[in-house]
Each structure stands twice: as structure tokens, then as C-alpha cells.
Amino acid sequence: MPDNHLRSATISVLVENEAGVLARVIGLFSGRGYNIDSLTVAPVERDGSKSRITVVTQGTDMVIEQIKAQLDRLVPVYKVLDLTEGPHLSRELALIKVIGIGEKRQEALRLADAFRARVIDATTESFTFELTGATDKLDAFLDLMRPLGLAEVSRTGVAAIARGAKTIG
Amino acid sequence: MDGTIPATEQMNSGAEAVLRALKAQGVDVIFGYPGGAVLPIYDAIFQQTEIRHILVRHEQAAVHAAEGYARSTGKVGCVLVTSGPGATNAVTGLVDALMDSIPLVCLTGQVPTHLIGNDAFQEADTTGITRQATKHNYLVKKSADLVRVVHEAFHVARTGRPGPVVIDLPKDILINPAPYHEPTAKVHRSYRPRTEPDTAKIKEAVALLKRAKHPVVYAGGGIVNAGPEASRLLTEFVRLTGMPCTNTLMGLGTFPASDPQFLGMLGMHGTYEANLTMHGADVMLNIGARFDDRVTGRLNAFAPSSKKIHIDIDPANINKSVAVDIPIVADACNALKALIEAWNADPTPQDKDALAQWWAQIDIWRAKQSLRYTQSRDPGSIIKPQYAIEQLYKATRGRETYVTTEVGQHQMWAAQYFKFEKPNRWMTSGGLGTMGYGLPAAMGVQVAHPDALVIDIAGEASILMNIQEMSTLAQYRLPVKVFILNNHYMGMVRQWQELLHGSRYSNSYSEALPDFVKLADSFHGVGLRAETVDDLDRVIAEMIATDKPVIADICVDEKENVFPMIPSGAAHNQMLLGPEHDDAGQPAVTSAGKALV
């Protein structure tokens, strides 16, 4: 009997870096009704010939198996790896603009320090922080900034890699 | 295909390079329709004789014709259409081929590269539109890539799970000189479908099958795609093991219909014995089928006590809708070879007594004669559609016959009453259910088999969807026979309205039909009509004897329904039988079932 328990999966996909490849992957998710919680893509080979797509998705075990199989059969896909099957590292980067003056501004700066967020731009009425970390760390920081004048966020989405000597290749 | 660069030769134009690559890929016929963006290819076609071009009357028909050609020969079908509307008209055919795993290469014209994205005349984002309609597609932006892409497209179309591939060709790429090189044997960088089965899994499967008390073999279109040898091996395996065998709609012909071990088709309109055998099985061997919803019925009641072995070339078909116990990713032919070897090597004796008891049970189900109907022979009696198909089958037996269909009731009756002994003889739109498929598909079959008897079993509604191809038949002297079961209704829609929507026949009556006899005549063919049972055999005989396109308008009982039927949302053991049967019930359709298609 199918298990209805939903789980989150972080899937890395190594693809030929050619026109339309991202549209193929996204079209597969929308066409088959799969969720995309986060998606990142960038070339990873020195000659720019391959890109790595990292997708964070949700589904039952059966659906996640389907997603992997569907991704794997796309012609320009080299490799599909479900990082959630083993120990792995996930990071994303956020640029966070906080606008405020006085005590709130001080508090924002103190919290940023505690989270090891870097100040990459400042004016007398604003800070822009750069913060790297796991998704839940970024979420926690943003929750704290909200009452302190959080004005704008730009996030990269998740990049992930397996721990240890294991590679996608 | 990377690696060493093959020797190249400069061609005067991209169009010439494309044609040369098509020839190298074994293309002998293209189905197409010209237009501005593909004129350079048409010019190159004009200047050679090796590749024949069949001018269709609508681009959708070009794709279906190529499907008919591909399915009846096992080769890759080839299509050529222009940009914009040429490409968009082809989309239905492409999705049809995608759903039914038919290998095609479709060349589409495109506006010159410098105009792409400019909303130019007859521009459409063809690769964008066809991305989800194809197995893969390409836009050629550099002349240097052109020939590699053509060769690669054929490789992708025919290997793994076959499917349609689009190559979008901007006009300047077709006009400018381009280098040509022969196909290389180099493996593809990223595309490497698995075709050899895991031997450990094959052994596990055999161990399970040897111990089975109530086994069933369920074989589908994957056997057809794996070539005629796969059908031969399936037959060998089924006979070797003494197991019952059923076919999907797509798989008909892969196991001889006349064999006593054949249960007929399974699924929504499958036989009583096929569906109950599936329901009661303890071990199911699925080869080359994909647990389609038309086959499984309600998933949580599908073959509830069976262990399932699933052999499929597409890993994405495994555990998609039905969780299986032994998944095997392989080409059906290779898998069957391995199964037969492993079966012979495994010393475990089969439980012959249990199998005999299973057959005794199956024979009880068979005795129900779920396809029974009554045809009155009194003069002037109305023709039952089932009888029309049976008489057609009898009249064509012993001939080299190919059958295509449109979609609807006539399609199901053809599947139930026409018997196929060999693969590649039956072409029907299974996955997409495309009305208008049958006539152009028959055209493609007839092009590939000029001397064979090619029949499109049609309905009066479906046939009108691509009727313009009668003109193509006349032009190329393709003597396709269109056998219309004319019941004045979109019969399957009417049947569902009767059973599920309180007999409210909303928009399903075929009003203002043409006179099909005159229609055939005006398209330079021969029109025949059978109004009563007295006319039927004469019309069939005349149709077969005529060496021209024929439309045979067979007037059949308007109220006839297709039985047995598993209503949507019901299980295999909740079949509705026809009015011939005492226990023919009213459908127990749940509201959840009604919402299903």
C-alpha cells in the first residue's frame, strides 16, 4: 500500500549546459504536478559544458522515486542524485535589507553579528546583510528581522552536496 | 555524440545536408506539407529521387501517417512541416506518438535565426510548444551542429523507450552551406538507456513464477516496440510455462489471438476471463505495459493479492501508479530471452496441479462468453457492430491485413472482435485517444506496404476529423479501406451519457452527416453502403476486391454499447456485462468514479 507520508528531498541533477534544459526540468515538475520548494542552477564545469541543478521538493517516497526517474530520462541529464538519502550539506545565501533607525537598528546589527551575517552595504537608515546557511537558519534570522524593519529579501535557493568523499559524478 | 570528430564534407546547403543525413538514417519516405520556412528542403527534395515525399492535406495527418508507417515497419517515421501553423498543427500527432512510444523524427521549419523572437510571419516558439510533446527536441542555431543533431535525433527516437523528436530548422540554416558527416557509433554524452536486464532480478522473478499457483502474463506495446523477435519469445515463454496471457490494447498481436492460452484483451473493455484472471492472480508478470488507468481500474483494488513483476524499458514507468515487488528495467526482447534461460535453468518444479486448477477456474469464467451478442439474420435486420467486425475479420483472414482505428466504440469492438496473430498489424491511438488518427495512420501503413490490405475501422464522427486525407489517398493511389461503423452518435460519449449521466445525450448526436458514398466518389474513391444484415457480406467482399480507396458505410445499431465494461473507479471484479447476460447489472458508479475520465 502506498505510504502517504510526505518528505522533503534535495535532488541534485547534473545536466548538459544547453538551451532549454532548465525549461525541461521545470516543465516536468509543473506538467506532472510536483512541487518545487527551491531551485538553483549554475554551470559547474570549467568549460561551462555542464550545469548543476539543485531542486528541493516534497512528496511521498513513491512520488520522489518518480521525480528522480522522470528527471533521469531527460536526454540532457547526466546524473540524478537524491542527497537526502545520505548525509549532506545544504546552504543558501540571502541578501537582506533592513530599514530603520535608533534602537531597532542597533538590535538588528547585534542579531546580525550573532548570526554571523555580514554587513555588505549601509546607509544612515538601512543595512544590507549577507547571510549564508541552511534554510532554517535563514528563516530564523528573517523572523527576527521582521519587527526590526525587514524591507526586502533576495535568496539564492539551496545549493547542496554530499558529505565525505562521495560525488555526483 | 562526442569524441573524435568524424570526417566532414561541405554541402552546398543545409537542406542538402539534412536530406543526406535522412538517407543515411534509412529514411525512404517523408510525410509532409510545404511552406515558406521549409522551401529549401522542398527544393532539395525536388532534385533527388531516393526519398519519396507524400504530400498530406493537414500536418496532423502527416504525423499520424508517419506513426502508421513506423508502427507497421518498426522503423522511424519521418515528418516535414513548415514553421508556425505547420508546427502547431503537428502537435496532436506528436503527443499521440509520445503517449504510445512511437519513434518519429519531425522536421519543422523556423524563421531565420536573426528573426527568432521577433514575432515574425509564421513564427511560433516550436521548441517551447513541443517540449512536453516530444521525447526530445532541438533548435539548430549553427550550421556546424545541423548534421550531428539529425543523426542524434534518430538515435534518440529509436532507442530506449521510443518517441517523437522535433528538429526546428531556421531557414538560414537550411540555405547556408553546412558540413556533412556520417553517423558515428560513439555513445551519447548523457543519454544512455538501459536495455539489459539485471540477471539477479530475472532469477528472482523466475523463482516467484515457478512457485505461482495463479499466475498471469500481462503483455503490452513494449513487446511490439522490441521487435517481432520479442513477440516470438513471449509466445515461447507463455507456452513453456503454461500460463494464461492477456494483452493490453497496445499489445494486441504480440501473442497469437488463436492460442488457447490467450485470454483476450484486459481492462475497461477487456474480457471477463482476462480481468478476473488479473484480479485473482497470485503472481503477475507485466512485460512492456505501464499499468494504465484503463487497465487497472480502481488502483487500491487492482490484483490485490498478487506479487507483481514489472519489466519496462522506462524506469519512470516502474512504481508510477502500482507498486511492484520485482522491477526489471530492460528491453522486452532481452528480458524475455533471459527469462526463458533462467526458467530452464531453475530446477524447481512448477506446481502443475495448482496451474490445472487455475485453468479450470479460468474456463468457468470463459464459459460466461462475455463478448456474446445476438445478431438477427432475418432479412432487413439491423447490423450489430460486433457482427460487422466479426464478418470483416472472417473475410480478411489469410490475407496480409493491417488494421488501424479511430477512437471510440468502434475501436473497442475492433480490439475485441478482430483477432491478431502477429505484431505490427494493429495500429490504434491508445494513450492519447486521438479521434482522426485512423485514416492518416492507414495511409502511412499503405505507403509502407503497398500490396497489403489496409483497413481503417472508423466511426462516423471520428472519420470526419481527418477526412481530407481521402484526397492524399487518391493522389498516391493508396487503396485504403475505410470501414465506418455508422451509428449516428459519438458512440462512446453516448454510452457514458447513458450509463453515467441519466441518458442526457448532450451534443453526442452526429447531426447533418455527409453522404459517405458520395463523399468517397467525390474524392475519386468508391463508396459502398450496407443498410441491413443482408448487405454486409457483399459490401465487405466488394470493398476488399476494389483496388481503390473505399469508404464502406456500415449502418449499425445506434443503441449498442461496448461490454464488458469496468466503470471508472470500479475494480476488475465489478465488471458490467452486456444485456445478453442475466447478471448484467446497472453500474455501481460512485461519485468519485464519475469524476474520473
Side-chain angles (χ1 to χ4, degrees):
Chain A
M1 282 294 105
D3 181 4
N4 290 324
H5 172 72
L6 291 182
R7 72 170 174 99
S8 176
T10 302
I11 299 169
S12 276
V13 193
L14 199 60
V15 300
E16 179 78 6
N17 187 16
E18 63 179 28
V21 67
L22 186 60
R24 273 179 222 290
V25 170
I26 292 172
L28 192 155
F29 276 77
S30 62
R32 294 188 180 267
Y34 308 140
N35 293 312
I36 297 180
D37 292 335
S38 162
L39 181 130
T40 61
V41 56
V44 290
E45 294 278 296
R46 197 172 180 186
D47 62 359
S49 67
K50 290 178 189 171
S51 287
R52 182 170 176 137
I53 298 173
T54 307
V55 195
V56 180
T57 183
Q58 273 186 55
T60 60
D61 280 336
M62 206 158 152
V63 166
I64 287 164
E65 283 308 308
Q66 255 303 292
I67 292 172
K68 287 190 281 182
Q70 294 287 356
L71 286 168
D72 208 23
R73 74 211 274 269
L74 296 177
V75 170
V77 167
Y78 287 94
K79 192 75 196 275
V80 177
L81 182 63
D82 182 359
L83 290 165
T84 17
E85 280 178 353
H88 65 284
L89 299 161
S90 289
R91 291 289 181 273
E92 61 175 314
L93 182 146
L95 302 179
I96 300 149
K97 189 169 286 185
V98 178
I99 299 175
I101 50 167
E103 184 51 35
K104 283 189 175 173
R105 180 175 162 83
Q106 294 297 322
E107 184 61 15
L109 198 57
R110 274 196 293 273
L111 285 166
D113 192 42
F115 273 77
R116 292 185 201 155
R118 287 204 305 142
V119 177
I120 55 172
D121 181 54
T123 66
T124 52
E125 54 184 356
S126 73
F127 281 123
T128 300
F129 298 115
E130 175 196 313
L131 179 60
T132 307
T135 298
D136 54 355
K137 175 179 165 182
L138 267 59
D139 289 343
F141 183 71
L142 288 168
D143 283 345
L144 291 171
M145 286 302 117
R146 220 155 260 129
L148 301 177
L150 178 69
E152 191 177 345
V153 187
S154 178
R155 289 170 76 151
T156 57
V158 172
I161 204 160
R163 279 188 183 271
K166 189 179 177 183
T167 67
I168 192 170
Chain B
M1 333 242 151
D2 60 1
T4 54
I5 297 155
T8 62
E9 186 184 330
Q10 195 72 359
M11 305 292 286
N12 287 330
S13 72
E16 283 176 38
V18 168
L19 276 195
R20 187 161 166 195
L22 295 183
K23 283 173 201 166
Q25 291 294 338
V27 173
D28 56 6
V29 59
I30 300 177
F31 300 90
Y33 203 101
V38 285
L39 282 178
I41 300 188
Y42 275 88
D43 203 38
I45 287 173
F46 191 81
Q47 299 177 49
Q48 55 86 54
T49 52
E50 285 169 71
I51 297 183
R52 190 176 176 207
H53 179 272
I54 303 289
L55 173 66
V56 297
R57 301 302 191 260
H58 186 286
E59 290 87 351
Q60 182 194 350
V63 186
H64 293 324
E67 286 186 89
Y69 175 93
R71 290 173 76 161
S72 65
T73 61
K75 291 164 70 176
V76 179
C78 190
V79 179
L80 170 60
V81 298
T82 195
S83 63
T88 56
N89 276 346
V91 169
T92 300
L94 293 171
V95 180
D96 191 273
L98 182 71
M99 291 285 266
D100 285 347
S101 313
I102 311 301
L104 298 182
V105 170
C106 177
L107 310 174
T108 57
Q110 182 55 275
V111 302
T113 45
H114 70 276
L115 283 179
I116 290 178
N118 229 328
D119 298 330
F121 177 65
Q122 292 197 328
E123 181 183 0
D125 174 9
T126 300
T127 45
I129 290 167
T130 61
R131 196 168 285 128
Q132 310 302 326
T134 54
K135 179 174 175 183
H136 194 54
N137 63 13
Y138 302 87
L139 168 62
V140 180
K141 283 182 155 171
K142 285 189 295 199
S143 297
D145 293 339
L146 178 62
V147 167
R148 175 187 60 80
V149 165
V150 176
H151 289 321
E152 188 177 307
F154 276 84
H155 175 69
V156 169
R158 76 162 71 89
T159 54
R161 180 180 179 181
V165 177
V166 160
I167 311 175
D168 204 22
L169 298 164
K171 193 169 183 181
D172 53 328
I173 299 289
L174 293 175
I175 292 170
N176 295 340
Y180 178 81
H181 64 81
E182 293 296 323
T184 58
K186 291 272 184 290
V187 290
H188 192 276
R189 297 176 304 281
S190 54
Y191 169 77
R192 290 169 194 180
R194 174 173 189 156
T195 55
E196 283 299 327
D198 177 340
T199 34
K201 287 266 198 293
I202 290 280
K203 278 186 191 152
E204 261 182 70
V206 164
L208 196 58
L209 286 163
K210 283 250 168 159
R211 285 163 186 80
K213 293 185 190 309
H214 303 151
V216 64
V217 177
Y218 145 46
I223 309 267
V224 181
N225 278 335
E229 177 66 3
S231 292
R232 197 193 65 69
L233 290 168
L234 171 71
T235 309
E236 184 183 330
F237 180 76
V238 171
R239 287 179 182 158
L240 173 70
T241 59
M243 293 173 186
C245 178
T246 177
N247 272 155
T248 65
L249 179 69
M250 295 295 295
L252 292 175
T254 59
F255 188 76
S258 59
D259 193 292
Q261 283 170 256
F262 187 57
L263 305 179
M265 184 175 73
L266 84 165
M268 185 174 269
H269 295 296
T271 64
Y272 190 72
E273 56 269 31
N275 286 332
L276 287 186
T277 301
M278 289 289 281
H279 193 79
D282 65 347
V283 177
M284 174 192 301
L285 172 62
N286 168 350
I287 314 176
R290 58 180 173 87
F291 295 110
D292 179 87
D293 57 85
R294 282 293 182 274
V295 158
T296 61
R298 196 170 82 234
L299 275 174
N300 63 8
F302 172 68
S305 45
S306 67
K307 294 268 184 202
K308 299 175 186 75
I309 303 157
H310 187 188
I311 300 173
D312 202 298
I313 197 157
D314 182 359
N317 272 343
I318 297 205
N319 289 330
K320 181 171 65 181
S321 52
V322 172
V324 298
D325 302 278
I326 304 181
I328 299 171
V329 175
D331 171 79
C333 196
N334 298 341
L336 278 160
K337 244 179 250 166
L339 274 177
I340 291 168
E341 255 174 52
W343 180 275
N344 289 329
D346 187 326
T348 319
Q350 228 181 330
D351 190 342
K352 298 268 187 196
D353 290 343
L355 192 60
Q357 279 174 32
W358 182 224
W359 273 111
Q361 173 61 61
I362 291 169
D363 286 337
I364 293 170
W365 291 327
R366 264 185 179 161
K368 196 98 179 173
Q369 295 183 288
S370 61
L371 295 178
R372 201 168 70 218
Y373 63 92
T374 305
Q375 172 67 59
S376 163
R377 306 298 167 86
D378 296 341
S381 291
I382 195 157
I383 302 165
K384 290 283 182 186
Q386 302 94 324
Y387 182 70
I389 302 284
E390 280 203 313
Q391 292 308 98
L392 177 66
Y393 169 61
K394 281 181 196 156
T396 58
R397 217 160 28 184
R399 285 171 181 271
E400 175 84 345
T401 308
Y402 294 80
V403 174
T404 69
T405 74
E406 310 288 335
V407 169
Q409 284 186 322
H410 67 274
Q411 177 190 28
M412 292 298 112
W413 284 315
Q416 290 174 331
Y417 295 93
F418 208 102
K419 308 289 175 206
F420 297 92
E421 301 293 312
K422 291 177 186 169
N424 305 97
R425 300 299 192 277
W426 161 248
M427 270 83 20
T428 193
S429 172
L432 194 63
T434 310
M435 291 170 74
Y437 169 87
L439 178 57
M443 195 163 85
V445 175
Q446 190 83 74
V447 167
H449 309 273
D451 300 323
L453 175 62
V454 182
I455 306 169
D456 170 27
I457 296 178
E460 84 291 335
S462 280
I463 192 66
L464 290 179
M465 285 212 180
N466 269 319
I467 194 70
Q468 76 286 344
E469 297 310 317
M470 288 299 294
S471 180
T472 313
L473 296 183
Q475 180 179 343
Y476 297 96
R477 301 182 189 283
L478 301 169
V480 166
K481 316 295 187 259
V482 181
F483 190 76
I484 301 178
L485 298 182
N486 186 342
N487 59 4
H488 288 95
Y489 276 100
M490 292 159 212
M492 194 57 91
V493 172
R494 192 200 55 72
Q495 175 167 346
W496 280 50
Q497 288 172 332
E498 179 187 327
L499 298 176
L500 308 172
H501 295 276
S503 299
R504 292 180 293 280
Y505 299 129
S506 177
N507 291 279
S508 54
Y509 184 68
S510 294
E511 194 74 58
L513 283 172
D515 179 331
F516 286 109
V517 174
K518 287 184 187 158
L519 186 74
D521 190 47
S522 75
F523 274 120
H524 319 288
V526 173
L528 304 168
R529 180 171 294 126
E531 286 175 336
T532 67
V533 71
D534 321 280
D535 306 329
L536 183 64
D537 290 343
R538 177 183 53 77
V539 164
I540 290 173
E542 202 176 327
M543 176 184 89
I544 294 171
T546 305
D547 190 27
K548 281 175 109 177
V550 177
I551 297 182
D553 185 20
I554 313 296
C555 308
V556 298
D557 191 342
E558 294 186 0
K559 292 285 147 65
E560 199 64 29
N561 285 333
V562 181
F563 289 112
M565 176 177 180
I566 303 174
S568 284
H572 277 181
N573 60 348
Q574 296 172 307
M575 241 171 300
L576 302 180
L577 295 173
E580 301 283 320
H581 298 270
D582 300 337
D583 45 358
Q586 275 305 302
V589 181
T590 60
S591 53
K594 211 163 153 180
L596 298 171
V597 285

